[in-house]
Amino acid sequence: MIGVFDSGHGGLTVLRALVRELPDRAFVYLGDHAHAPYGDRAPDDIYQLTLASLERLFAQGCRLVVVACNTAAAIGLRRLQQTWLPRAHPDRRVIGVLVPMVEAITGMPWQATVEAGRHRGEPRTIAVFATRHTVESGAFVHEIGKRAPEITVVQQACPALVPLIEGAAPAEAVRAAVRGYAAELMQRLGGVVPDAALLGCTHYPLAQPCFTEALPGVEILSQPDITARSLAAYLRRHPDLDAIGARPVRFYTTGSAERVSLMASRFYGETVTFRGLAPVRPGNAPYRAAS
């Protein structure tokens, strides 16, 4: 099985794209709704919560987990991959949504050296809309700049957007927030129109029409679709981690299963039913489904 983890509903946009791209695979989804949103939490708290959720998915039989939360991927994924995973679960793999986007934007593989990345292509400007922690981590700026220094990355934190989307706010409220964030970014660009905009949070695809409206003529990069294509390629390179054998997706949440199930259909595109998991903090195993 392949696990998909997010702090809340947002990862369902990625999961839906993964299921479309890989319909003959088995998936398990875990949303840590009890501790969402991650965007306002301390970095070490994000790391520990992510680690606890990965343990839960491994306990479900997942050998590969996609971290579909940009904040978790930007803050803690490299540390998890380099220190915790080789020691605790050497036969498991964890990948994130940041890598596919960087590769798609730069046209360079993630493993490329700094020197290999210093080819001079056409100068471009990429806008990144993300949570405060993702912006403050500088992950997109650093990784894109390392591989394609001719690309200018301009970031815009959107702190109100996830609460609005998670809370099923009226469409006009979401539209107004997106317009405001787009206007802030355009003001800092001094009239330069970006070549493309990356929606660096898995919640934001639900507001993609608002970004298209606020940034006319700007290509909006689809993180779920790019991530799905990247996972398919990854599985071709690592057949030992594959999970061929389609079965119904299993959905888990650390929040209220009933409430989450009612809201999740907006993100997934069809009715889904979540099972509850007790909101256990790291170190408080075992992880069992709540009755």
Side-chain angles (χ1 to χ4, degrees), residues 121-279:
E122 288 294 322
R124 289 183 291 150
T125 298
I126 303 294
V128 174
F129 295 90
T131 65
R132 176 176 61 86
H133 268 312
T134 299
V135 167
E136 290 177 352
S137 76
F140 282 110
V141 175
H142 175 72
E143 299 298 349
I144 291 172
K146 187 164 68 174
R147 292 162 178 80
E150 71 278 9
I151 296 176
T152 299
V153 180
V154 182
Q155 300 187 103
Q156 176 63 49
C158 308
L161 206 48
V162 168
L164 285 172
I165 295 172
E166 286 265 357
E172 185 49 44
V174 176
R175 186 177 295 111
V178 171
R179 278 200 306 263
Y181 293 133
E184 285 183 41
L185 180 131
M186 293 302 293
Q187 184 176 26
R188 285 189 286 114
L189 281 173
V192 175
V193 177
D195 297 280
L198 162 62
L199 307 186
C201 173
T202 52
H203 286 69
Y204 295 0
L206 291 185
Q208 185 163 329
C210 300
F211 282 96
T212 300
E213 178 185 292
L215 297 164
V218 176
E219 179 187 8
I220 307 297
L221 299 175
S222 171
Q223 191 171 48
D225 291 342
I226 291 171
T227 300
R229 292 194 295 269
S230 178
L231 177 61
Y234 184 88
L235 291 175
R236 288 193 293 271
R237 296 194 303 271
H238 301 277
D240 57 310
L241 295 172
D242 212 336
I244 296 175
R247 67 187 72 173
V249 180
R250 299 210 306 265
F251 299 89
Y252 294 95
T253 176
T254 58
S256 164
E258 182 178 2
R259 179 176 176 273
V260 169
S261 297
L262 287 172
M263 297 179 65
S265 60
R266 291 179 56 244
F267 290 77
Y268 194 63
E270 63 182 72
T271 302
V272 295
T273 301
F274 277 75
R275 295 179 62 195
L277 291 172

